[in-house]
Amino acid sequence: MHHAAPTEGETATDPVCGMTVAVNADAITREHDGKTYYFCGEHCANNFMKAPQIFLEK
């Protein structure tokens, strides 16, 4: 599976807190069901991984 390189200025929404985060090489990410999710910090990323279905149902 190939992931496209992020474009300059691309953003994503943190599925835990809803914050807009930059999509770049320094981004905090987690993989779930073959998709990459982006997070504002490790705290949100760790909470997501404990129960991703809760955050994806929003």
Side-chain angles (χ1 to χ4, degrees):
M1 175 183 273
H2 293 291
H3 292 283
T7 58
E8 184 67 30
E10 186 177 354
T11 61
T13 301
D14 182 321
V16 176
C17 69
M19 185 174 172
T20 300
V21 294
V23 174
N24 59 40
D26 296 328
I28 297 167
T29 62
R30 297 291 187 273
E31 298 283 329
H32 177 70
D33 281 345
K35 184 174 179 192
T36 301
Y37 294 90
Y38 294 84
F39 300 91
C40 67
E42 288 292 337
H43 181 76
C44 282
N46 292 337
N47 282 339
F48 176 82
M49 292 310 293
K50 289 176 188 174
Q53 66 281 1
I54 292 172
F55 302 105
L56 298 177
E57 290 173 357
K58 288 184 180 180

